[in-house]
Amino acid sequence: MLFRTIIRQSLTLVWPTVTSRVLYTLALFINMALLGRLRHEALAAGALISSSNITVNISIASMLFSISPIIAKTHGKGAHHKVGNIFHMGILIALLMSLFSVVIFSVIGEVLKFCHQSTVTADLVQTFYHGYLFGLPGYYISMVLSQITTSVKRPRFSMISSGTYLFWSVLLSYGLGYGHFGLPNEGVMGIGLGMAIGVWASIICSLIALALIPFYRQYRDWETQNIVTGKQIGRAHV
């Protein structure tokens, strides 16, 4: 009986999370496919964009994964005001960490050339990130939102965010990358710009949902004297 209960509860948490990641990965796949259709060199650039994006962002953002156990523990104690504290601190840390990604991707073209990659391919990668740079802070914020909603046993919320990102990023990447829907034809940079706008569209949608869903109102009253510090999050990460 206990085994069945554990399996049922696990599946309740797992399937929305898996669905969310599938939607996000599908968006990345479609956007890279759109990029590859622009020209042969862009196809090679897409491979470097995917690998560099995963390597840099996951490496830097791994600290944010520690937010989940902190929130789960706090939520289990019923200290809802502290969940709001963790949310605000998590957003602040996410924004600070995103600066490292912005700096790295601002010079990624030169880094690739130093690693003996094709000049044409490296320039295309840099062009893509010229459009995608302003979406990087949003990427880190979305990770914080995902950690929080999953920790309070509301993983379906992440599907809203990923579904919104899939829709807007693909639509705008297609429009800006190929000059459709009356949008300017920006080529490779348009694909990056479309993905960046898609990230912020998903965050806006998520924040609206947080404001409208009654369950999350209990976390709005946060106390400044009980703020969870970045050092606490760092200790949890270790």
Side-chain angles (χ1 to χ4, degrees):
M1 188 67 179
L2 178 61
F3 177 76
R4 291 182 179 179
T5 301
I6 294 174
I7 293 297
R8 183 172 61 253
Q9 291 179 347
S10 298
L11 290 177
T12 301
L13 293 173
V14 167
W15 79 262
T17 303
V18 172
T19 302
S20 173
R21 300 316 301 171
V22 168
L23 291 174
Y24 180 82
T25 305
L26 180 61
L28 180 61
F29 173 79
I30 295 175
N31 283 314
M32 290 300 101
L34 291 172
L35 180 67
R37 288 190 61 190
L38 290 173
R39 50 193 289 195
H40 294 300
E41 295 84 356
L43 182 61
L48 291 174
I49 290 169
S50 297
S51 58
S52 62
N53 190 28
I54 293 172
T55 301
V56 174
N57 284 331
I58 295 301
S59 298
I60 295 177
S62 60
M63 182 179 174
L64 296 176
F65 296 151
S66 62
I67 293 177
S68 182
I70 295 176
I71 293 178
K73 181 180 179 180
T74 305
H75 177 71
K77 291 180 178 179
H80 301 311
H81 61 279
K82 289 188 177 181
V83 174
N85 295 339
I86 299 170
F87 172 75
H88 286 83
M89 182 55 64
I91 294 297
L92 177 59
I93 293 174
L95 291 174
L96 292 174
M97 294 173 66
S98 69
L99 295 177
F100 292 99
S101 289
V102 170
V103 171
I104 293 173
F105 287 125
S106 294
V107 296
I108 190 66
E110 298 303 318
V111 173
L112 292 174
K113 291 175 185 177
F114 179 79
C115 295
H116 305 290
Q117 295 296 321
S118 166
T119 300
V120 175
T121 304
D123 288 340
L124 287 174
V125 172
Q126 188 65 78
T127 300
F128 169 85
Y129 280 113
H130 283 161
Y132 186 66
L133 278 181
F134 91 96
L136 288 172
Y139 171 81
Y140 286 83
I141 292 174
S142 67
M143 290 189 65
V144 174
L145 290 171
S146 175
Q147 295 291 309
I148 290 176
T149 55
T150 302
S151 300
V152 297
K153 297 182 179 181
R154 292 295 188 277
R156 297 183 185 182
F157 185 90
S158 60
M159 292 192 300
I160 299 175
S161 177
S162 296
T164 304
Y165 173 71
L166 171 63
F167 176 78
W168 285 109
S169 68
V170 171
L171 182 69
L172 292 174
S173 292
Y174 181 66
L176 291 169
Y178 292 85
H180 295 301
F181 312 126
L183 297 173
N185 187 348
E186 298 294 340
V188 173
M189 189 175 72
I191 302 292
L193 187 60
M195 292 176 64
I197 296 175
V199 170
W200 286 108
S202 69
I203 291 174
I204 292 172
C205 180
S206 297
L207 293 177
I208 292 174
L210 284 174
L212 296 179
I213 298 175
F215 173 81
Y216 293 102
R217 293 174 184 170
Q218 60 187 318
Y219 304 121
R220 294 180 186 174
D221 297 326
W222 58 294
E223 301 176 2
T224 55
Q225 64 268 28
N226 291 315
I227 287 181
V228 176
T229 65
K231 183 181 292 187
Q232 289 176 279
I233 295 177
R235 284 201 300 265
H237 179 63
V238 175

